[in-house]
Amino acid sequence: MEKLLVIALLLILNSVATSQPVTDPVAFLRCLERQPTDPASLNSAVAYIPTNSSFTTVLRNRIPNLRFDKPTTPKPLAIVAAATWTHIQAALGCARELSLQVRIRSGGHDFEGLSYTSTVPFFVLDMFSFRTVDVNLTDGTAWVDAGVTTGELYYRIAEKSNVLGFPAGLCTTLGVGGHFSGGGYGTMMRKYGLSVDNVVGSGIVDSNGNIFTDRVSMGEDRFWAIRGGGAASFGVVLGYKIRLVPVPEKVTVFNVRRTVAEGGVDLIMKWQSFAHSTDRNLFVRLTLTLVNGTKPGEKMALASFIGMYLGGSDKTFNVMNRDFPELKLKRTDCTEMRWIESVVFWAGYPIGTPISVLLNRTVTTKAFHKRKSDYVKRPISRTGLGLILKKLVEVENVRMFFNPYGGRMGEIPSSRTPFPHRAGNLYKIEYLVSWSEAGEDVEKNQLARAREMYKFMSPYVSKNPREAFFNYRDLDIGSSVNSTYEEGKVYGVKYFKDNFERLVDIKTLIDAENFWKNEQGIPVRR
């Protein structure tokens, strides 16, 4: 009996010891070598540790936000640049053996850096080597690996067809793995919905290394969850099968700017009633920035109406003059181009830039950023708008982007995918603060500006809950320290509304141990 007790005690002590995370990068490499895969394939070109000369370069290449590229930013034990499914399985095996957290990165655009930082021992599973885009013109679909950027996807589609496209993001260095899994919106959402509304299949690896290559094998619940609920809470997405959408041979773009002194307030008022209700082929984004006024040191708001019509300039001109005559759009404001060229335009490049720029995977201009989001369900009054524009001048350095809803976005049921922000929304607001100067005091100051503007907007936006867009990750609205349901619900209902409970049920069913977790992950129900 005593011998049995000693054995049991040793087993318990061993269990406790092995539950402590390993913090030695070399031990991680040795663990990879022990995994049931081809050892020769797990070399320095796949697994990087801090002593590797390429480690810092590989880590920093996909960190567009300098807030998370500082000496004080927690660094991973290793970066596994997986090139095969077996590499993923090996990495997950070591995550279990060494009690490490896994952070999955495709493009690195997570606005809070959660795909490559953590406060506990972790490694990064980098998917940038998964870069296949297989366009099937016969059935109008494409398979897109998780590490493909949206720019690469658009380019590969255009290689095959001039009349097919896909409704996804404006930034062309976004990784498909994260962008699609969180919702993914773009300039064609009023016509075709979000990226997730046009995803018809996927592949995923679970925490035990099991590979599911289609929606049948993974199950409809899991497939539902990874189309807007954040795939990193449910596994490693290998890629998505998407349904391509028709685009005309020519689209038309324009960008008309008006300051407050030039009647900008009247135009914004009209935009609120026009943008969500007009022809669904038309998408007109409103941006608010600051420019110099007529007096020394004076600042005033500038409203930019940036639009695209899925058709020629004549039709664009007719629709705009019918629905938004106050803007006084001129034919000279309009530029016809191919849809693929409009992608370059929306990414901020000058008209005429070669479309080959879409193959650039690395963010060349980096800065410090903070983003927040809101949804607006009722038009803001003229009085309210005046106060907002005054506050914008007061806080400075906050840019606001208004993206119209309506059209297809109002027809898709809010429960069809985890993304719930459908009918009833006029538009979504993105708040962006960017700065280039490093320093803790500078960062605190800039973050305070973003939070001050966000707080000021509370009377004009959605309530109970105050809704937020998951892909505009914002830890200010709640975070999970202990991975509890109660913590998760604080931010979960803001991102997912009533869909949060279903996400928790699915999570609890397929990942009861909460292997996949981060500061804003889907929790399990205890």
Side-chain angles (χ1 to χ4, degrees), residues 265-275 323-326:
V265 176
D266 291 334
L267 295 176
I268 296 170
M269 287 296 297
K270 179 57 185 284
W271 179 90
Q272 288 191 101
S273 62
F274 141 82
D323 294 351
F324 197 5
E326 295 85 352

Side-chain angles (χ1 to χ4, degrees), residues 385-419:
L385 187 58
L387 294 173
I388 290 168
L389 295 176
K390 182 180 178 181
K391 187 66 175 180
L392 202 62
V393 172
E394 177 186 327
V395 299
E396 297 183 321
N397 203 34
V398 177
R399 286 178 281 169
M400 298 174 68
F401 302 83
F402 297 66
N403 298 285
Y405 273 45
R408 183 65 180 142
M409 289 296 292
E411 298 169 350
I412 299 172
S414 60
S415 61
R416 180 169 294 177
T417 69
F419 181 93

Side-chain angles (χ1 to χ4, degrees), residues 302-473:
L302 173 72
S304 298
F305 301 88
I306 311 168
M308 181 174 77
Y309 186 83
L310 296 172
S313 57
D314 287 344
K315 184 66 173 176
T316 305
F317 193 71
N318 291 338
V319 171
M320 285 295 292
N321 281 337
R322 181 193 71 197
D323 294 351
F324 197 5
E326 295 85 352
L327 189 62
K328 297 179 181 178
L329 184 74
K330 302 182 183 70
R331 293 187 184 273
T332 53
D333 295 324
C334 300
T335 303
E336 287 187 346
M337 57 182 60
R338 292 183 296 151
W339 172 78
I340 190 64
E341 293 169 331
S342 77
V343 170
V344 177
F345 165 82
W346 283 105
Y349 294 100
I351 291 176
T353 300
I355 64 171
S356 58
V357 73
L358 299 176
L359 298 177
N360 182 4
R361 293 166 56 85
T362 305
V363 177
T364 54
T365 304
K366 298 187 178 185
F368 299 87
H369 300 292
K370 174 64 180 180
R371 283 175 168 86
K372 302 178 80 65
S373 62
D374 261 322
Y375 286 88
V376 175
K377 299 181 182 297
R378 295 190 305 273
I380 299 172
S381 69
R382 181 179 294 275
T383 300
L385 187 58
L387 294 173
I388 290 168
L389 295 176
K390 182 180 178 181
K391 187 66 175 180
L392 202 62
V393 172
E394 177 186 327
V395 299
E396 297 183 321
N397 203 34
V398 177
R399 286 178 281 169
M400 298 174 68
F401 302 83
F402 297 66
N403 298 285
Y405 273 45
R408 183 65 180 142
M409 289 296 292
E411 298 169 350
I412 299 172
S414 60
S415 61
R416 180 169 294 177
T417 69
F419 181 93
H421 317 290
R422 305 288 188 172
N425 290 296
L426 301 181
Y427 52 91
K428 174 179 64 184
I429 300 176
E430 173 190 4
Y431 308 86
L432 170 61
V433 177
S434 297
W435 65 99
S436 57
E437 183 184 354
E440 185 176 340
D441 289 342
V442 175
E443 181 167 322
K444 286 182 179 178
N445 178 273
Q446 297 295 345
L447 293 178
R449 294 172 192 264
R451 291 162 182 160
E452 184 178 351
M453 192 70 210
Y454 181 78
K455 181 180 180 180
F456 184 84
M457 290 294 295
S458 59
Y460 310 107
V461 298
S462 60
K463 299 172 180 63
N464 303 316
R466 184 172 181 175
E467 300 172 32
F469 178 36
F470 183 69
N471 268 359
Y472 288 169
R473 189 91 77 161

Side-chain angles (χ1 to χ4, degrees), residues 19-137:
S19 68
Q20 297 302 311
V22 169
T23 58
D24 178 11
V26 175
F28 181 79
L29 288 183
R30 289 172 179 163
C31 177
L32 287 178
E33 293 171 356
R34 293 195 300 271
Q35 299 305 306
T37 185
D38 178 11
S41 71
L42 286 167
N43 52 38
S44 60
V46 171
Y48 303 85
I49 61 174
T51 54
N52 187 295
S53 60
S54 300
F55 175 85
T56 300
T57 300
V58 172
L59 178 63
R60 299 186 67 190
N61 270 351
R62 274 163 294 284
I63 302 182
N65 191 345
L66 294 180
R67 285 179 58 211
F68 307 107
D69 191 13
K70 297 180 289 192
T72 54
T73 303
K75 304 298 188 293
L77 252 66
I79 303 168
V80 178
T84 67
W85 295 356
T86 55
H87 292 163
I88 297 173
Q89 292 171 314
L92 296 181
C94 289
R96 286 190 171 282
E97 182 177 328
L98 306 180
S99 299
L100 296 172
Q101 271 197 14
V102 186
R103 295 297 164 109
I104 310 163
R105 182 169 72 169
S106 52
H109 283 259
D110 187 312
F111 291 154
E112 295 286 9
L114 301 187
S115 63
Y116 49 85
T117 65
S118 178
T119 56
V120 300
F122 74 106
F123 68 89
V124 171
L125 180 58
D126 211 318
M127 300 295 289
F128 70 85
S129 293
F130 281 76
R131 298 182 58 183
T132 298
V133 179
D134 185 10
V135 177
N136 186 331
L137 294 181

